[in-house]
Amino acid sequence: MRIKIVLVLIVLLNVSCDFFTKSHDEDPVARVNEKYLYKDDIKDLVPLDASKADSTLIIQNFINKWATQQLLVDGAILNLNERKQESFNRLVNQYKNDLYTKAYMEALVK
């Protein structure tokens, strides 16, 4: 009886973990480790008057740049110590706050 209860709990835990993962309705265009690039992310890259060859080149270059950046960021996260990562996170948060503050001040002036 205990084995059945444990099995049911394991199944429920497994299903509940899948419930909380972020799902996306469309298929990804590219994947690097656990990060995905979707059509929505690249839909506005190509000008309307671009040829098929130009469109393909623009999208290929963007995907290659995105993938390279993801690999470098993942490598940095693995290789940089926690102190350096925390320092970067503080800088990112400060920059974000500065951007919001500047945008709000400009809206107030208008």
Side-chain angles (χ1 to χ4, degrees), residues 72-89:
L72 289 171
V73 168
D74 287 350
I77 290 171
L78 285 174
N79 294 309
L80 291 176
N81 62 39
E82 287 184 35
R83 188 181 212 180
K84 191 72 165 175
Q85 289 182 36
E86 288 172 11
S87 172
F88 286 149
N89 286 332

Side-chain angles (χ1 to χ4, degrees), residues 15-33:
V15 170
S16 67
C17 288
D18 289 341
F19 178 76
F20 290 109
T21 58
K22 182 180 177 184
S23 64
H24 210 281
D25 292 339
E26 63 180 304
D27 291 330
V29 175
R31 173 183 167 208
V32 173
N33 296 327

Side-chain angles (χ1 to χ4, degrees), residues 28-79:
V29 175
R31 173 183 167 208
V32 173
N33 296 327
E34 297 302 318
K35 296 181 181 104
Y36 295 90
L37 183 68
Y38 295 97
K39 285 183 183 179
D40 287 345
D41 300 325
I42 61 173
K43 68 180 179 183
D44 296 327
L45 288 176
V46 181
L48 295 175
D49 58 345
S51 69
K52 188 174 183 176
D54 289 343
S55 300
T56 303
L57 188 61
I58 290 168
I59 291 172
Q60 269 184 330
N61 286 338
F62 182 83
I63 291 172
N64 288 338
K65 183 179 175 186
W66 176 85
T68 302
Q69 187 176 32
Q70 297 307 314
L71 288 170
L72 289 171
V73 168
D74 287 350
I77 290 171
L78 285 174
N79 294 309

